[in-house]
Amino acid sequence: MSNAPDNAADPGRGLFIGLRKDQLGARLLMMLNSIRLAEDYATDFRINWFPRGAMAPKLDTPGDLFAPDFIARHFIDNADFEALDAQTKPLRSFLRDSSPDRLTTHLAGGGHVLLDEGFEIVEFPWEDGTDLRSRFRGFISRIGFNPVVARQMAAVEAAMAGQGGRTIAYHIRRGDILNEEPWKHKEWPAKIEPDELYSAYLEKNADAGALVFSDQPESIARFTAAHPKVARIDDLVDLSVCKPVQRDFLELYAMSRASEIVAPPISAFSRAAARLSGQERKCFHEVMSVPEREAAYERLLERFQTGIDAFITPSEAAHVYVKLARRLQESGRDEAAWEIGEAILAAGADNAFLPLMQAIGGIYLSRWEEARAHVRTALAHPNQWQENTVTALAVEAHILGALGRRHGARRSFLRAFWQKPMLPDVTVIGTFMIKRRRLRPGAVLPFDRDTLLMLPIRYQQTNILVQQARILRRRAADLSTIAIEWPDFAIDGKVARLLNSPRDLRALRDRIETDPRFAPGTLPDSFCALLDARMGRIEAALARNSEAREASPDAPLIAKRQAEILSLGGDHAGALREMDACRALAPDHAFWHYLTGRIHLDAGDAEAARAAMQRASAMDDSTAELHSRLADLCRDAGDEAAAVAAFDRAADIAPNQQRYGNRRARLLQKSA
C-alpha cells in the first residue's frame, strides 16, 4: 500500500498537479515537489505521468515503477487533466508573491496549481530553502513502488552500505543527447562533460570508491577500461529481471546512496538522486581548480588531434567540441577550434548546431564567405532547433553586414528579432548593428535609438552561442523597447508577459527617467508616455505625449505614439489623423500602414483596415506576424484565398515557426 498521508480531507480544495514530458529524473523531481507542496499546503497531489506530446516512450507504463494503489489514488489521465484547465494556474504565477495568501486562497477556492517546469526544489519567497532541502530525502517514502522495484531498492541499499568508506558516483550524461531526434541537434554544454574531467577527478580521489553511471553503455565501457577500479551497478546487484525503466530508476537510487555525486551542471537524473540523498551534487567547477580543469581540457585537445574516431560517434565529438571550442577561442586559438569543427563535419556529423558553431568560428577568424556558407547550411537544416534558427538568422545578419549587404543584413536580423526579441544572441548582434548603424531608425524599422541606448543590460553569459566580447566591446542594449513599441509583431511569449507586468514596465520607465541624458519633450520622454498607456494610464499618457508632440512636431515616432494613445482612449478619428502625419513623413513604412489598419479595425471599419494592412503587406518582407494578422482579417471577411496567401507569406518569412502552416491547414480543412 502507498504510504502517502491522507491530505484530501476537504474534497473541494484544489490540488497540486505535476506534469513533465521529458525523462525520468525530471519526472521524479516533479513528483517529489508535488508531494512536498501538498503536505505543506494541506491538500493532495496528482501526477499526469504521460501527458500528450511526452518524449520518453519507455515511461509510458507507470505500473512498471509504481504500485497499483498509488497510481489509482495519485495519477490523473490526460482527459481528466485537460478537463481541469479552467481551474488551474501554473506554479510560476505565484512565485513572485511576498506571502502565501493568494496561493492559499486559490487552493481553498478549488483552484489547482500546475507544476510543469524544470524546478529542482520549488521555493516560494516566504519559505526557507535550507529547511526544504533537508526534508527532501524523506519524501520518497510517500511513493508506493512496484514490488519488483521495492525489492531491488532494498538490495541496492544493502550493497551500497556494504561498500564501506567514501564512494563517489560519476554521472556521464550522453544517451539521447547524442543519438536521438531532436535532442542530438541542439548543443548541451551544461549537460555534457568530457571524459578527461572525470578521469582527472578520479585520479585526484584515488583513495575513494568509484561507481560510474551513464545512459550510454559505450561510455561506461570506455571509462571502466581506462580505470579498472571503477564499478558499475551490475557489479553490485543483479538487475537482469528488471525492465529498462526499472533499471533506470534503480541506477538513480544507487547513485543517491553514494557519499558524493559528481555530475554535469544540468542533469535532472543526478539532481533527483541528490535530492533523494539529502546532499548537493558536485560539478567540476566546484571540486577542481582552474588549472586542473584547464589541464584536463588540454588532454581533450590531444584526443581530438588523434582523430574523430577517438570518440564514440561523430555526434559525441560534436557535443564535446562545443565545450572545447569556446575555451580555445577565449585563449586565442581560433584556428585550432575551426580545424576541429571542420574535421567533425568531414567525419559525417549531422548535428544541426555544428554548422552554426562553425559560422560563428568563421566570424572570429573573419572568414566571412566560409561563415556565410556554414550559416546557410545551418538555416537549411531540417532539424535545426527553433531557437538556434533565430540565432542563425542573427549570425547571418552580422555576416551580411560585414560583407556590405545591408538590406539582407536588416532582413535577416528582423526575421530573428520578431521571433525572439530577448534572445541574448539577438540582443548582442542587434546592439552591434545599431551602434554601427547597420540597423538605423527609419530603415524598414521605426524605432527609438535614443531610448534604447539609455538601457544597457548585464553581460550576457547564459543561453548565448556568440561570445559577447568578440562582438561588442561594451554592454548590450535592452532591445525589448522595440518589442514594446510594436507588440503585435513579437512571436515570443516573453514580450506578452512583459507587457502584462506593470512592475516591469514601471521599472523600465524609472530607468529612463533617471538617466542623466533624459529631457522632457524628447523621444525617451515620449516612450515613457507610451509605457504609461500600456499600463492603462491613458489620460496621463496623452497629456505627457502631447507635450512631446508639440516639442518635436516632425518626429514620426512621437506622432505614432500619439495615435496609439488616442486610439486606446477611444478617439479613433484623432488617431487616424496622427497616422496621416506619420505616413506623410515616411510614406513607405509598412508599419505606419499596418498601424493605420489596426486603428481602423478598433474603430469597427474592417474594410479600411484590410486595405491598409494589404498596403503594409506589400512593403514588408521581414515581419511574419504582420502577414498573419492580415490573414485573420481576410479569413473573417470570407476571402479564404487571400488568407491562405497571407499565411504562406508569413511562413516564408519564419519557416521554422509551425504555427503559420498549421493555421493555413486548419483554414483549408474547415473550408473543405
Side-chain angles (χ1 to χ4, degrees):
M1 295 292 290
S2 167
N3 294 320
D6 189 358
N7 293 332
D10 181 358
R13 193 167 178 79
L15 308 166
F16 288 97
I17 304 174
L19 176 155
R20 291 285 292 177
K21 295 183 179 181
D22 43 1
Q23 302 296 331
L24 176 62
R27 297 188 197 210
L28 185 59
L29 281 168
M30 167 268 292
M31 183 179 287
L32 294 173
N33 273 306
S34 300
I35 290 169
R36 193 285 289 186
L37 289 164
E39 181 173 300
D40 286 359
Y41 293 93
T43 187
D44 206 348
F45 67 92
R46 295 291 182 269
I47 304 297
N48 186 3
W49 182 254
F50 206 75
R52 300 189 201 281
M55 298 178 182
K58 67 181 178 181
L59 295 174
D60 68 351
T61 309
D64 290 343
L65 286 177
F66 305 107
D69 62 321
F70 183 81
I71 293 171
R73 168 162 177 179
H74 290 293
F75 280 50
I76 184 171
D77 64 24
N78 287 321
D80 288 344
F81 166 73
E82 289 158 5
L84 300 177
D85 185 66
Q87 306 151 253
T88 304
K89 289 185 177 181
L91 182 72
R92 65 174 177 271
S93 64
F94 301 99
L95 285 176
R96 296 178 71 174
D97 290 359
S98 58
S99 79
D101 296 347
R102 202 165 60 90
L103 173 63
T104 54
T105 299
H106 176 70
L107 291 168
H112 309 300
V113 179
L114 177 66
L115 289 75
D116 64 344
E117 297 187 43
F119 299 104
E120 182 170 356
I121 293 181
V122 172
E123 178 184 345
F124 294 110
W126 59 84
E127 295 180 320
D128 182 343
T130 302
D131 174 64
L132 295 177
R133 284 188 288 276
S134 69
R135 293 169 56 206
F136 246 68
R137 180 170 186 160
F139 292 131
I140 194 170
S141 65
R142 311 282 204 275
I143 300 173
F145 286 103
N146 173 297
V148 172
V149 174
R151 285 195 299 272
Q152 293 290 3
M153 287 171 68
V156 166
E157 189 86 46
M160 292 297 291
Q163 293 288 296
R166 176 172 169 242
T167 301
I168 302 175
Y170 296 88
H171 183 213
I172 304 176
R173 180 78 167 89
R174 295 290 187 268
D176 56 335
I177 290 175
L178 303 188
N179 309 315
E180 296 180 15
E181 310 275 2
W183 316 112
K184 65 183 291 186
H185 296 294
K186 176 81 166 68
E187 74 292 341
W188 304 99
K191 293 189 176 188
I192 284 190
E193 299 283 19
D195 286 5
E196 284 76 7
L197 283 172
Y198 293 94
S199 293
Y201 191 67
L202 182 76
E203 291 159 6
K204 183 180 177 180
N205 293 274
D207 58 334
L211 285 168
V212 62
F213 300 89
S214 180
D215 45 9
Q216 186 81 28
E218 293 90 341
S219 288
I220 295 176
R222 186 169 61 189
F223 199 62
T224 53
H227 306 285
K229 65 169 282 186
V230 176
R232 304 164 300 167
I233 190 172
D234 300 86
D235 299 322
L236 304 180
V237 292
D238 179 9
L239 300 181
S240 59
V241 299
C242 294
K243 297 179 180 180
V245 67
Q246 294 172 334
R247 180 187 177 93
D248 286 352
F249 171 75
L250 291 164
E251 289 195 10
L252 186 153
Y253 188 69
M255 190 187 297
S256 78
R257 303 300 96 181
S259 311
E260 183 179 319
I261 299 171
V262 176
I266 296 179
S267 166
F269 192 87
S270 53
R271 283 207 320 266
R275 290 296 148 240
L276 292 183
S277 68
Q279 63 176 300
E280 296 294 333
R281 284 177 320 140
K282 294 180 178 178
C283 302
F284 290 114
H285 68 270
E286 298 168 324
V287 297
M288 294 173 67
S289 67
V290 171
E292 288 170 338
R293 298 200 307 274
E294 292 302 329
Y297 274 97
E298 289 302 314
R299 290 197 292 273
L300 173 62
L301 175 59
E302 292 169 6
R303 178 154 62 114
F304 267 114
Q305 290 170 338
T306 67
I308 306 307
D309 56 1
F311 295 82
I312 297 170
T313 61
S315 179
E316 187 196 31
H319 282 281
V320 176
Y321 165 75
V322 172
K323 304 281 292 190
L324 179 64
R326 198 168 192 110
R327 289 174 175 269
L328 292 175
Q329 291 158 347
E330 288 171 348
S331 61
R333 291 182 282 178
D334 299 85
E335 192 70 39
W338 172 269
E339 290 175 358
I340 292 170
E342 293 294 285
I344 299 169
L345 285 170
D350 65 347
N351 310 78
F353 65 81
L354 190 54
L356 175 56
M357 299 298 297
Q358 284 302 92
I360 293 168
I363 289 174
Y364 302 153
L365 288 164
S366 297
R367 293 184 173 183
W368 298 108
E369 290 294 350
E370 289 170 278
R372 187 183 182 197
H374 277 306
V375 83
R376 282 179 164 181
T377 300
L379 287 167
H381 200 296
N383 296 307
Q384 194 67 258
W385 277 49
Q386 189 175 98
E387 189 169 279
N388 277 2
T389 296
V390 175
T391 293
L393 285 166
V395 167
E396 181 182 52
H398 188 77
I399 294 166
L400 291 173
L403 292 170
R405 305 187 180 203
R406 296 202 168 190
H407 174 78
R410 286 195 301 270
R411 181 172 188 265
S412 290
F413 178 75
L414 292 174
R415 289 174 65 203
F417 179 80
W418 293 125
Q419 293 190 56
K420 287 191 173 289
M422 300 177 194
L423 188 71
D425 293 304
V426 170
T427 298
V428 167
I429 290 174
T431 301
F432 174 87
M433 293 180 69
I434 289 166
K435 290 187 174 182
R436 285 290 183 95
R437 298 191 181 275
R438 291 178 183 170
L439 186 68
R440 300 182 184 183
V444 180
L445 175 64
F447 73 96
D448 182 348
R449 189 177 190 272
D450 295 349
T451 300
L452 185 145
L453 294 179
M454 286 182 176
L455 298 167
I457 59 176
R458 292 181 303 172
Y459 189 84
Q460 304 281 285
Q461 292 180 312
T462 58
N463 193 28
I464 187 166
L465 294 187
V466 299
Q467 295 177 47
Q468 179 166 333
R470 303 294 292 269
I471 307 293
L472 278 176
R473 294 188 182 276
R474 297 184 180 178
R475 291 164 70 184
D478 185 352
L479 304 190
S480 68
T481 56
I482 302 175
I484 291 169
E485 190 81 58
W486 301 102
D488 287 1
F489 302 146
I491 297 172
D492 192 347
K494 288 183 179 179
V495 174
R497 289 198 287 273
L498 173 62
L499 291 169
N500 289 322
S501 172
R503 178 190 306 175
D504 291 331
L505 295 180
R506 281 195 299 271
L508 192 62
R509 185 189 62 195
D510 292 347
R511 286 183 65 197
I512 296 167
E513 290 176 340
T514 55
D515 188 283
R517 294 164 290 183
F518 179 83
T522 59
L523 280 168
D525 185 32
S526 171
F527 184 77
C528 290
L530 181 66
L531 291 176
D532 283 335
R534 296 271 189 256
M535 291 184 281
R537 302 176 67 241
I538 305 300
E539 290 185 12
L542 185 59
R544 183 173 191 170
N545 200 68
S546 294
E547 292 181 8
R549 184 84 174 91
E550 289 179 13
S552 304
D554 295 326
L557 207 54
I558 295 178
K560 170 263 182 189
R561 292 166 182 164
Q562 189 80 348
E564 280 204 89
I565 296 166
L566 287 167
S567 184
L568 286 169
D571 184 358
H572 303 302
L576 290 170
R577 285 193 296 273
E578 294 291 340
M579 291 312 302
D580 290 341
C582 289
R583 295 195 310 279
L585 290 165
D588 296 329
H589 271 320
F591 290 7
W592 300 147
H593 293 275
Y594 170 82
L595 186 55
T596 299
R598 201 187 71 189
I599 294 169
H600 277 303
L601 191 62
D602 291 342
D605 190 344
E607 185 176 348
R610 178 178 173 181
M613 290 190 184
Q614 283 175 328
R615 293 193 298 274
S617 176
M619 299 173 185
D620 178 86
D621 64 357
S622 58
T623 315
E625 276 294 290
L626 184 152
H627 302 276
S628 173
R629 288 171 183 262
L630 171 61
D632 291 338
L633 269 179
C634 295
R635 180 203 60 206
D636 293 344
D639 190 345
E640 293 172 357
V644 167
F647 279 134
D648 285 342
R649 184 77 165 144
D652 287 342
I653 293 169
N656 58 310
Q657 295 281 347
Q658 296 180 357
R659 64 178 68 195
Y660 304 119
N662 291 342
R663 293 177 67 191
R664 178 189 191 276
R666 286 196 297 271
L667 177 62
L668 290 174
Q669 184 179 29
K670 186 175 180 180
S671 64

